[in-house]
Amino acid sequence: MDRSRLLGLFLLSLALSGAQALTPAHYLSLSDVARLQSLLSRPFNDLESAYYSIVGLTKLGATVPDHKEVCQFLKSQLDPTSVDSLFFAAETSQAISGCEIPVSNETRDILLAAVSEDSTMTQIQRAVSALGSLGLPLASQEVVGALTARINKEDNVMAITSALQTAARLSQQAEFGGILEEIEDLTARLDDLGGIYLQFEEGLEATAMFVTAAYSLSDHVDMEPPLKEDQVIQLVNSIFSKKSWDSLAEAFSVASAAAALSSNRFHVPVIVSAQGPATVSHSQPTLQLLVTDVMSQPLASANVLVESAYAVASKSIILSQAPFTLNDGVFELNFMSSQPASGYYQFTVAVTGDSRLVANHVELKVKVSTEVAVTNMDLSVVDKDQSIGTKTTRVDYPSKAKSSFTADSHQNFAMSFQLVDVNTEVDLTPHQTFVRLHNQKTGQEVVFVAEPDSKNLYKFELDTAERKSEFDSISGTYSLHLIVGDATLENPILWNVADVVLKFVDEEAPATIQPKTLYIPKPEIQHLFREPEKKPPTVVSNTFTALILSPFLLLLILWIKLGANISNFSFSPSTILFHLGHAAMLALMYVYWTHLNMFQTLKYLAIIGGVTFLAGNRMLAQKAVKRIAAEQSSRLAKYRSLR
């Protein structure tokens, strides 16, 4: 493949990864279908529940047991004078074999009479469906007129959905007029929830029945419904996101929508999922995909192609235009034949073979896992002043070194090793590579990170003098472990490599060695509060108090000198209550400073203040009345004196 084509595929993959197409997030898995069948298979006790159960099971492709018994039940429960009863019995009889519902002239007249603009939309829909199932003739154009008139009167989702279902039962030569346009109008009423779900505010049943009716009528007139691909996917997510159903009617609506979305002429959503985890390895080189409809039924006629597959880390394309092969209902691809390195890969998968397919371009993340091996594990004790030659010991995985290694403050302990892919012998750099030292006596653990150099050689060197604080200067024998882990490794490693004796300076060692653990009681914290400041001398306090009280003393002196006038004081209840309330508020201020907090004070102040306000208002009103009366008496006396 030339470079220009590789560049084009790379840019295409980047564009797809930047703006991924919407794909179905919910559908009916096999367990969901089984649970739905179980709900619809419950015993029924009337014609309505029989209709939901039998027809619902038929929609799911399930077998209805004992057709004769069901037929006898329909005939025994039938009320030939009820449109609803005739609808449920006639529709249910069509889902089983060898069941004919008796029809009289009176029954036909009742059904025909219900096809009128004076009937409700539900009655018209059920009457037309019953007439069709019973094989009775019907004037389609008259039904269209009745539906159009009722739409103007019942402009709601369920009524218009019933009109669409009714129109699907009429002759294809009928002039449907504006009824077909109602599909687009109802689509505009759908609520978009976060760009993922599309539904009516009336709920799941209304949304599912709209999808069923829209595709039923579109198939009937051979005209594609005005639904965009993203809208179809959003409707799928909305209808199948609920995994438990509140009623038989709701379960029936979901089964009907699933059947419509799986077998209509225009839009068939595709569900692409990995069989098991999306992981390949040298021991399991085949990537297996399930390509199904919304009921988890395989799409055997589909063709599956990997448009591109690139490494997430490096963005390099490793595979393009590679077809899957169909094997017993599962599409398979030997991805390991492309010799990918371990890591994650982004797949762009296209499903073709049918022009009806929707959501047929899917993004998948595939993990390539491998096994890791530790090689060239060298251990040594290096003298800092190099007065003693370094002796290196090689240890083979998974064995443990036969002898221990001793290092004191004048020596460093060194370790070097490589990590390679067992299958390709290529160097690996896993995300997690640790060296753990575990004190065999105290249980203390110290963990270090091992880092690779430019040649992917891992090196670890322990300077006991510099690292003594991390060991709390606890000398002893430590078990040396190597820990290697990564999401792409099939065999994470925990290897006890050797025993290392660490000797720290004696005077820096703690007097008593205790196990270092997080689960022992901590020493009690002795908190020393600040000592209170010394009180001022008594003379200063008394002088300050006298200064505070001096205005009140001055007030008393002035009252005595000028003469206090209390002749206008009234001993009415409102006056007494006002002054008591005022005194109580002053007392409350004192209590606030000595005993209460702000919230308690406000609560008491609201009570006292309210009473004081009402009493003061009453007192002032009484004084105003007295003043006005006195002024009127004075003017009257003056008038009389002038006469």
Side-chain angles (χ1 to χ4, degrees):
M1 184 180 294
D2 57 10
R3 293 185 178 181
S4 60
R5 187 177 180 186
L6 282 175
L7 179 60
L9 289 172
F10 176 64
L11 294 176
L12 174 64
S13 65
L14 286 181
L16 290 173
S17 63
Q20 291 187 5
L22 184 64
T23 55
H26 303 281
Y27 60 96
L28 290 179
S29 64
L30 292 177
S31 60
D32 294 332
V33 173
R35 191 164 57 254
L36 192 59
Q37 289 181 3
S38 176
L39 176 59
L40 294 172
S41 298
R42 292 179 181 177
F44 41 81
N45 50 17
D46 55 29
L47 287 178
E48 183 176 5
S49 60
Y51 164 73
Y52 289 136
S53 295
I54 302 302
V55 179
L57 289 172
T58 305
K59 299 281 188 183
L60 294 176
T63 303
V64 179
D66 204 345
H67 290 196
K68 290 184 179 180
E69 184 178 347
V70 174
C71 187
Q72 291 176 358
F73 177 82
L74 297 178
K75 293 178 180 180
S76 65
Q77 296 291 318
L78 177 64
D79 179 3
T81 62
S82 169
V83 174
D84 293 340
S85 179
L86 289 167
F87 164 74
F88 291 129
E91 289 291 286
T92 307
S93 68
Q94 294 298 301
I96 57 178
S97 59
C99 184
E100 184 176 350
I101 301 299
V103 181
S104 64
N105 292 334
E106 182 182 1
T107 298
R108 182 193 62 190
D109 294 340
I110 291 173
L111 293 174
L112 291 174
V115 184
S116 167
E117 62 180 74
D118 296 327
S119 302
T120 64
M121 189 68 78
T122 301
Q123 287 291 92
I124 296 175
Q125 183 257 327
R126 290 182 175 179
V128 171
S129 298
L131 287 168
S133 297
L134 295 173
L136 298 176
L138 182 67
S140 296
Q141 207 57 48
E142 293 182 5
V143 178
V144 172
L147 292 176
T148 304
R150 288 309 303 178
I151 288 175
N152 295 328
K153 297 178 181 179
E154 296 184 56
D155 188 18
N156 60 74
V157 173
M158 291 303 294
I160 299 176
T161 299
S162 296
L164 299 177
Q165 290 176 314
T166 306
R169 305 296 295 263
L170 303 180
S171 171
Q172 293 179 334
Q173 284 72 38
E175 295 291 337
F176 292 102
I179 295 179
L180 286 172
E181 298 175 359
E182 296 296 336
I183 298 177
E184 187 173 2
D185 292 341
L186 283 184
T187 303
R189 298 190 193 184
L190 289 163
D191 296 329
D192 190 330
L193 305 180
I196 303 212
Y197 303 97
L198 204 61
Q199 63 184 36
F200 292 114
E201 62 180 11
E202 285 80 0
L204 170 60
E205 186 175 347
T207 306
M209 293 310 297
F210 162 69
V211 170
T212 304
Y215 281 109
S216 178
L217 180 57
S218 297
D219 286 348
H220 185 63
V221 300
D222 196 20
M223 181 182 296
E224 184 175 358
L227 291 170
K228 299 178 182 178
E229 180 174 335
D230 283 356
Q231 290 176 322
V232 176
I233 298 171
Q234 287 176 286
L235 286 168
V236 169
N237 289 336
S238 180
I239 293 171
F240 302 119
S241 61
K242 189 174 183 179
K243 300 303 181 182
S244 61
W245 304 277
D246 300 330
S247 63
L248 270 178
E250 190 174 78
F252 169 81
S253 68
V254 173
S256 300
L261 289 167
S262 301
S263 59
N264 69 84
R265 298 182 184 179
F266 304 102
H267 302 144
V268 177
V270 177
I271 309 299
V272 179
S273 59
Q275 187 176 42
T279 303
V280 295
S281 63
H282 289 273
S283 59
Q284 180 59 44
T286 304
L287 176 63
Q288 296 181 323
L289 296 182
L290 296 174
V291 180
T292 66
D293 57 24
V294 294
M295 289 197 294
S296 296
Q297 296 302 308
L299 297 176
S301 61
N303 299 317
V304 183
L305 179 75
V306 178
E307 293 185 332
S308 67
Y310 64 89
V312 174
S314 63
K315 304 299 182 184
S316 59
I317 294 178
I318 191 172
L319 188 65
S320 64
Q321 304 302 315
F324 281 76
T325 57
L326 182 62
N327 183 14
D328 196 20
V330 179
F331 290 89
E332 298 180 342
L333 173 70
N334 187 351
F335 183 49
M336 295 306 295
S337 62
S338 303
Q339 298 181 349
S342 61
Y344 288 93
Y345 293 82
Q346 192 73 23
F347 276 59
T348 301
V349 178
V351 182
T352 59
D354 193 329
S355 60
R356 302 176 302 162
L357 299 181
V358 173
N360 57 332
H361 288 81
V362 183
E363 297 287 321
L364 290 176
K365 182 174 283 188
V366 178
K367 181 175 73 173
V368 176
S369 60
T370 188
E371 293 181 313
V372 64
V374 184
T375 62
N376 301 326
M377 173 61 75
D378 293 330
L379 305 177
S380 60
V381 177
V382 182
D383 195 76
K384 291 183 178 180
D385 57 11
Q386 298 183 352
S387 60
I388 301 176
T390 302
K391 180 181 179 181
T392 301
T393 301
R394 174 156 294 186
V395 184
D396 294 327
Y397 177 80
S399 302
K400 181 180 178 180
K402 297 180 180 179
S403 59
S404 60
F405 298 81
T406 303
D408 56 23
S409 59
H410 303 289
Q411 298 168 318
N412 291 345
F413 174 76
M415 177 174 71
S416 64
F417 58 93
Q418 286 181 298
L419 299 175
V420 298
D421 190 317
V422 171
N423 301 288
T424 63
E425 297 184 356
V426 175
D427 291 339
L428 293 179
T429 54
H431 287 167
Q432 298 174 336
T433 306
F434 302 119
V435 176
R436 183 180 70 179
L437 291 165
H438 175 263
N439 192 309
Q440 297 179 358
K441 183 176 181 181
T442 65
Q444 179 190 19
E445 290 185 355
V446 183
V447 179
F448 301 95
V449 178
E451 299 285 355
D453 59 14
S454 59
K455 297 182 180 180
N456 290 330
L457 178 65
Y458 284 84
K459 294 181 179 180
F460 167 71
E461 189 166 351
L462 176 63
D463 188 330
T464 55
E466 292 183 359
R467 300 282 187 145
K468 61 184 178 182
S469 60
E470 299 181 38
F471 292 87
D472 294 337
S473 298
I474 301 176
S475 302
T477 302
Y478 288 80
S479 297
L480 175 68
H481 293 87
L482 175 64
I483 303 172
V484 180
D486 193 287
T488 61
L489 294 182
E490 295 180 327
N491 61 329
I493 291 175
L494 175 59
W495 178 19
N496 185 0
V497 183
D499 290 336
V500 180
V501 179
L502 300 181
K503 296 181 178 180
F504 300 98
V505 181
D506 293 336
E507 57 267 27
E508 296 180 357
T512 58
I513 299 176
Q514 295 180 348
K516 189 173 183 179
T517 176
L518 299 175
Y519 305 105
I520 60 174
K522 303 297 182 182
E524 182 180 357
I525 299 176
Q526 299 292 338
H527 183 72
L528 180 63
F529 292 93
R530 187 180 65 178
E531 295 184 1
E533 297 179 358
K534 294 182 179 180
K535 293 183 179 180
T538 306
V539 176
V540 176
S541 301
N542 292 339
T543 302
F544 181 76
T545 304
L547 290 173
I548 294 298
L549 296 177
S550 59
F552 180 70
L553 181 62
L554 178 62
L555 177 64
L556 294 178
I557 294 173
L558 291 175
W559 277 355
I560 295 172
K561 185 177 181 179
L562 298 175
N565 183 12
I566 60 173
S567 60
N568 287 331
F569 185 83
S570 173
F571 287 93
S572 64
S574 60
T575 303
I576 296 174
L577 193 58
F578 171 74
H579 286 85
L580 288 176
H582 191 264
M585 285 192 286
L586 294 176
L588 180 62
M589 293 299 103
Y590 171 76
V591 177
Y592 165 64
W593 286 107
T594 57
H595 295 86
L596 303 179
N597 58 37
M598 176 66 74
F599 300 102
Q600 293 171 327
T601 304
L602 290 176
K603 179 175 66 175
Y604 293 127
L605 183 61
I607 299 172
I608 298 173
V611 175
T612 304
F613 171 77
L614 296 175
N617 185 61
R618 177 66 176 169
M619 180 188 71
L620 293 175
Q622 289 175 350
K623 286 187 175 295
V625 170
K626 289 181 179 180
R627 189 183 72 253
I628 294 172
E631 290 176 354
Q632 290 177 348
S633 298
S634 176
R635 286 196 297 268
L636 181 61
K638 185 177 181 180
Y639 174 74
R640 288 177 178 174
S641 64
L642 291 175
R643 291 183 63 186

